[in-house]
C-alpha cells in the first residue's frame, strides 16, 4: 500500500511545496485561495485510492446511523427546524409536529447550517460554507421552503449571525470583509435588503447579546480562551468597556434582567467555571450556582426572562439544570430519560417550550420538547439506524491511566465483546482543540472500530476542557513541553496493563486537527510508543502553522501554542517535523486541500521529508474539503482508509 515517489513524483511534490512557500511569503496577511494551493498533479498523485467493496459497504452502513440535531423551535412551538446529514451533507429540515414526516429545506453538496428563526416564524436564517474553506455566507429562506436569499456572501470572507431583532425588521451579523483578521458588525434591513455598518473598530468582535433598548454586548476575543466585553450604543456610537479588559481570563456573558447587570460564566474566582451575577458599576461577581467541583459548561437566558438553563460537565457527562432568572433559585426539572449527556436547545420567545437533546453511547441522540406549563416531554423526531441495532453498541466506560508524574489522565474506553487469539489491538484517538474534550456519547465511527475488533480509547490529556482552568492551561505555550508526555504515557500504560498471556497489545494512534498533531507527536518525538498512526489535518510544524493559518485565527493560536519569536525554541522542540528521522512505524496522513486552519502545506512538508527517508508514509488529499471531510463520500473514504490502515498494520491484510 505504500506509494513511494519516483524522481518525477518527488519533483512535482517539491515544486508544489515551493509554490506554497512563495505564495504565502508574498501574502503574509492571508492563507492561499482555496483550490490554488496545490497543483493538479499533486492532487492527482495523492487522490484517495479505491476502497475494497465490502469495507466501503461496512463504513457506509455505519454512517447511515445518524440523528438530527436538537434544532430550533418556531415561535409558537408548533414547528422544529433542525440539521440532519441524511442526504450525505448536513442540511436544514423542518418537522411540523411530534414525529411527523420531516421536510428537507436546503440541499446540494455544501453543508448548510440553521442559525436562526425569524420572530414571526415565516423565515429562517441559514449559514452555508463552500468547498470546506470555512468562509460561510448568510441567507434567508421561507420556512415553508424555497430559494435562499443572500444576506451576505463573499469569497474569502466569513459571516456569522449576531442576532435577529425582536420585531424581525433587522438582522445583525459580523464579517471580516474589511480586514481578514478583524470582524465588523453590520445591520441588515430585511425590508430594504440593505446592510449598513454598525461597528467597525478593529478586533475579533462578535455579538454576545442585545438589549431591548438597542444596546449591544460585544465580545472581543483576546486569546484562545480569553475575551473582554463592552457595551455599545449604536445611537451614540459609544463603546463602554465593562468586563475582562487588561485580563487573560475566560468569560462568557449575557445581559441580565436588571439594568447594569450581566450574567457571567467564568472560572476567575476558582478553578472551575461557575455562573455569577456581575454588577457593571461595582465590578463585583456574586455566584448564583454552587461550587460543584465541575465546570458549568453552557448557559442560556430565556427571552421572556423566566429562567436560566445551564449544563454541568461532570467528568465528561453533561447534566442539565435550571434557575429562576430573577431569584436564582433552583427550578425542579421534570423526570428526564437516563442519558450520558443531557443538553438544551432553543427556547421559544415566550419561554414555554424548550428543545432538549439526549445522548448516550448505546442510544442515538434524540430531541424532545419540554412544555414548561404542563411539565410534559414529547419526542419530536426519531433517529435513523437502518439495519443496525444501536443497543449492541459498546458503552463508553470512564477509566484513567497514570502520567509519569502520577497525575491520573481520564479516558473513555469502548471494548469489543472479545478478541481471539491474544489481546485486542487498541486504537487511541486524541481529540482536537486542544481545548476540547472526549465525551462518552454516541459515536458511530468509534463503533466501526469496535466492530472490527479494536479497543477504542479517547483520552483527555492535560490541556483538555472540562476539568478546571489549571488542567486547561497546563499546556499553554512552552508549558506544553512538561505535559506532552501524556501522549507517550498512554501507550506505555496500555502496553503494560492490557496484555494477555505475556503478549502486549498492538496500539494505533489517530486524531484530527490538534489530535492529528498529537498523533504525529506520538510517531516522531515518541517514536516506538505506537505501532501505526493515521493523522488527519494535523500540524507538523508549529512555527509554519502559526505563520500560515488563517489571519482571524493566528492571534488566538499564539496564546495557545506560544509566541513565534519569544518561544521559537519551544515551538521547534514541540514540532513533529523536528523528529522526522525517528519515525519507525507506518503513518497515513489525510488532509483537505482547502483547509484554512491547518493549511495543506503542513501535510506536504511532512510527506516530503518522510518520502526522502523512504519511511513508509502515505498521503491522501481531498481537493474539495477543508479542515476535515464533511461530504459523505469523502467521510466514507476518510474512515474507510483509516480502518483499513489499522487493520493492515495492527491485525493483518484486509480481504478484498
Amino acid at each position: 500500500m505504500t506509494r513511494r515517489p519516483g524522481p518525477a513524483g518527488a519533483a512535482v511534490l517539491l515544486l508544489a511545496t515551493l509554490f506554497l512557500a512563495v505564495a504565502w511569503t508574498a501574502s503574509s496577511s492571508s492563507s492561499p485561495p482555496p483550490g490554488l494551493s496545490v497543483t493538479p498533479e499533486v492532487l492527482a498523485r495523492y487522490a484517495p485510492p479505491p476502497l475494497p467493496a465490502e469495507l466501503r459497504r461496512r463504513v457506509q452502513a455505519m454512517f447511515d446511523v445518524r440523528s438530527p440535531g436538537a434544532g430550533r423551535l418556531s415561535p409558537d412551538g408548533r414547528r422544529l427546524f433542525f440539521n440532519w446529514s441524511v442526504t450525505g451533507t448536513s442540511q436544514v429540515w423542518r418537522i411540523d409536529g411530534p414525529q411527523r414526516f420531516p421536510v428537507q429545506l436546503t440541499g446540494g453538496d455544501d453543508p448548510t447550517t440553521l442559525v436562526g428563526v425569524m420572530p414571526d416564524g415565516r423565515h429562517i436564517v441559514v449559514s452555508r460554507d463552500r468547498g470546506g474553506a470555512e468562509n460561510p455566507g448568510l441567507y434567508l429562506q421561507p420556512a415553508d421552503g424555497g430559494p435562499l436569499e443572500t444576506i451576505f456572501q463573499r469569497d474569502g470572507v466569513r459571516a456569522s449571525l449576531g442576532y435577529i431583532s425582536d420585531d424581525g425588521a433587522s438582522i445583525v451579523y459580523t464579517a471580516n470583509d474589511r480586514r481578514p483578521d478583524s470582524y465588523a458588525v453590520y445591520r441588515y434591513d430585511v425590508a430594504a435588503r440593505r446592510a449598513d455598518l454598525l461597528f467597525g473598530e478593529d478586533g475579533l468582535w462578535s455579538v454576545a447579546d442585545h438589549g431591548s433598548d438597542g444596546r449591544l454586548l460585544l465580545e472581543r476575543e483576546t486569546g484562545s480562551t480569553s475575551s473582554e466585553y463592552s457595551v455599545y450604543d449604536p445611537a451614540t456610537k459609544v463603546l463602554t468597556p465593562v468586563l475582562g479588559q487588561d485580563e487573560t481570563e475566560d468569560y462568557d456573558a449575557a445581559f441580565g434582567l436588571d439594568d447594569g447587570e450581566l450574567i457571567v460564566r467564568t472560572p476567575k474566582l476558582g478553578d472551575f467555571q461557575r455562573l455569577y451575577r456581575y454588577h457593571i458599576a461595582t465590578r463585583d461577581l456574586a455566584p448564583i450556582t454552587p461550587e460543584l467541583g465541575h465546570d458549568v459548561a453552557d448557559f442560556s437566558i430565556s427571552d421572556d426572562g423566566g429562567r436560566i438553563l445551564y449544563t454541568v460537565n461532570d467528568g465528561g457527562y453533561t447534566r442539565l439544570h435550571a434557575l429562576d432568572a430573577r431569584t436564582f433559585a433552583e427550578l425542579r426539572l421534570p423526570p428526564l430519560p437516563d442519558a450520558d449527556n443531557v443538553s438544551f436547545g432553543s427556547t421559544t420567545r415566550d419561554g414555554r417550550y424548550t428543545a432538549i437533546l439526549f445522548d448516550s453511547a448505546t442510544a442515538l441522540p434524540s430531541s424532545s420538547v419540554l412544555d414548561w406549563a404542563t411539565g410534559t416531554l414529547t419526542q419530536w423526531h426519531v433517529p435513523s439506524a437502518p439495519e443496525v441495532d444501536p443497543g449492541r453498541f459498546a458503552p463508553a466506560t470512564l477509566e484513567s491511566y497514570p502520567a509519569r508524574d502520577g497525575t491520573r489522565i481520564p479516558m473513555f474506553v469502548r471494548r469489543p465483546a472479545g478478541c481471539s487469539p491474544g489481546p485486542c489491538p487498541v486504537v487511541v484517538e486524541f481529540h482536537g482543540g486542544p481545548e476540547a474534550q472526549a465525551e462518552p456519547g454516541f459515536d458511530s465511527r468509534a463503533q466501526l472500530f469496535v466492530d472490527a475488533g479494536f479497543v477504542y480509547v479517547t483520552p483527555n490529556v492535560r490541556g483538555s476542557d472540562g476539568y478546571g482552568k489549571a488542567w486547561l492551561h497546563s499546556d499553554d505555550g512552552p508549558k506544553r513541553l512538561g505535559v506532552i508526555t501524556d501522549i507517550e504515557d498512554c501507550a506505555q500504560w496500555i502496553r503494560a496493563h492490557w496484555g494477555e498471556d505475556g503478549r502486549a497489545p498492538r496500539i494505533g494512534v489517530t486524531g484530527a486537527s490538534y489530535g492529528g498533531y498529537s498523533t504525529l507527536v506520538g510517531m516522531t518525538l515518541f517514536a516506538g510508543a505506537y505501532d501505526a498512526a493515521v493523522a488527519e489535518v494535523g500540524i507538523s510544524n508549529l512555527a509554519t502553522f502559526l505563520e500560515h493559518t488563517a489571519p482571524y485565527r493566528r492571534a488566538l493560536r499564539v496564546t495557545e501554542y506560544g509566541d513565534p519569536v519569544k518561544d521559537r525554541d519551544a515551538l521547534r522542540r514541540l514540532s513533529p517535523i523536528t523528529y522526522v528521522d525517528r519515525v519507525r512505524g507506518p503513518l497515513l496522513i489525510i488532509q483537505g486541500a482547502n483547509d484554512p486552519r491547518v493549511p495543506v502545506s503542513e501535510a506536504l512538508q511532512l510527506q516530503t521529508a518522510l518520502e526522502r527517508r523512504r519511511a513508509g508514509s502515505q498521503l491522501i488529499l481531498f481537493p474539495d474539503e477543508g479542515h476535515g471531510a464533511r461530504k459523505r463520500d469523502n467521510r466514507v473514504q476518510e474512515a474507510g482508509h483509516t480502518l483499513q490502515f489499522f487493520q493492515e498494520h495492527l491485525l493483518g491484510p484486509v480481504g478484498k
Side-chain angles (χ1 to χ4, degrees), residues 370-394:
L370 172 62
D371 183 339
W372 291 92
T374 64
T376 57
L377 190 69
T378 304
Q379 184 174 355
W380 268 59
H381 48 49
V382 179
S384 61
E387 302 182 25
V388 172
D389 176 14
R392 68 167 182 79
F393 276 32

Side-chain angles (χ1 to χ4, degrees), residues 99-122:
Q99 302 192 31
R100 299 283 294 276
F101 193 83
V103 178
Q104 185 177 353
L105 297 179
T106 66
D109 289 335
D110 292 319
T112 307
T113 304
L114 172 72
V115 293
V117 179
M118 298 297 283
D120 61 5
R122 296 179 180 176

Side-chain angles (χ1 to χ4, degrees), residues 16 34 76 79 81 150 163 236 246 294 327 373 378 411 423 633 646:
D76 59 9
R79 283 179 159 183
F81 303 90
T150 302
Y163 70 93
T236 62
D246 300 319
H294 305 293
T327 66
T378 304
M411 59 180 176
D633 187 62
F646 283 134

Side-chain angles (χ1 to χ4, degrees), residues 608-621:
T608 300
L610 290 167
E611 287 183 349
R612 286 172 181 160
R613 295 184 62 247
R614 295 185 175 272
S617 64
Q618 298 172 238
L619 173 63
I620 289 176
L621 292 180

Side-chain angles (χ1 to χ4, degrees), residues 271 407-410 460-475 486:
D271 190 36
T407 302
R408 303 300 301 188
I409 308 298
N460 282 310
V461 297
R462 281 172 283 190
S464 303
D465 199 3
Y467 302 93
K469 68 180 179 184
W471 189 277
L472 179 68
H473 294 296
S474 61
D475 69 340
D486 290 355

Side-chain angles (χ1 to χ4, degrees), residues 617-654:
S617 64
Q618 298 172 238
L619 173 63
I620 289 176
L621 292 180
F622 291 112
D624 56 347
E625 295 284 8
H627 197 61
R630 300 183 70 185
K631 298 178 180 177
R632 177 182 169 85
D633 187 62
N634 292 340
R635 291 176 60 238
V636 169
Q637 293 268 17
E638 182 181 70
H641 281 291
T642 300
L643 180 58
Q644 182 183 46
F645 190 83
F646 283 134
Q647 286 185 303
E648 178 178 347
H649 293 290
L650 302 181
L651 285 176
V654 181

Side-chain angles (χ1 to χ4, degrees), residues 143-379:
D144 289 331
L148 303 186
E149 176 185 315
T150 302
I151 297 171
F152 180 92
Q153 194 282 318
R154 190 177 303 173
D155 289 345
V157 175
R158 297 170 54 81
S160 299
L161 177 67
Y163 70 93
I164 301 168
S165 66
D166 295 339
D167 59 6
S170 60
I171 296 170
V172 174
Y173 66 90
T174 58
N176 63 336
D177 57 330
R178 292 159 63 93
R179 286 185 49 170
D181 60 350
S182 186
Y183 290 101
V185 182
Y186 293 89
R187 178 187 283 130
Y188 178 78
D189 187 311
V190 175
R193 304 299 196 259
R194 184 189 71 246
D196 297 311
L197 179 67
L198 201 61
F199 178 79
E201 185 175 309
D202 288 346
L204 296 171
W205 296 96
S206 61
V207 181
D209 201 358
H210 69 287
S212 58
D213 57 0
R215 295 179 305 149
L216 306 182
L217 181 63
L218 298 183
E219 176 186 6
R220 187 173 76 91
E221 291 182 275
T222 57
S224 60
T225 58
S226 63
S227 58
E228 60 185 36
Y229 288 79
S230 300
V231 174
Y232 180 67
D233 187 341
T236 62
K237 301 190 183 305
V238 172
L239 182 72
T240 305
V242 296
L243 177 67
Q245 283 71 26
D246 300 319
E247 297 184 49
T248 57
E249 193 57 82
D250 186 1
Y251 291 110
D252 181 16
F255 281 127
L257 298 187
D258 294 338
D259 191 34
E261 175 184 283
L262 302 178
I263 301 300
V264 177
R265 181 177 67 96
T266 181
K268 181 176 181 177
L269 302 185
D271 190 36
F272 293 96
Q273 298 271 8
R274 195 173 176 185
L275 283 184
Y276 296 87
R277 185 179 189 179
Y278 177 73
H279 298 277
I280 295 175
T282 63
R283 297 186 175 266
D284 289 333
L285 286 168
I288 60 174
T289 58
E291 185 65 64
L292 298 170
H294 305 293
D295 277 339
V296 171
D298 196 10
F299 78 97
S300 174
I301 307 172
S302 60
D303 288 336
D304 71 328
R307 70 185 67 86
I308 298 173
L309 296 179
Y310 71 96
T311 56
V312 172
N313 185 331
D314 184 354
Y317 299 91
T318 305
R319 307 292 183 236
L320 180 64
H321 297 263
L323 298 176
D324 184 289
R326 289 210 171 272
T327 66
F328 307 118
E330 188 84 11
L331 296 177
R332 186 182 183 87
L333 291 167
L336 301 176
D338 186 33
D340 291 340
N341 300 299
V342 181
S343 56
F344 59 85
S346 73
T347 297
T348 53
R349 287 177 177 257
D350 63 3
R352 176 165 180 175
Y353 301 101
T354 296
I356 300 179
L357 185 68
F358 303 93
D359 176 29
S360 294
T362 57
L364 274 77
S366 64
S367 290
S368 295
V369 173
L370 172 62
D371 183 339
W372 291 92
T374 64
T376 57
L377 190 69
T378 304
Q379 184 174 355

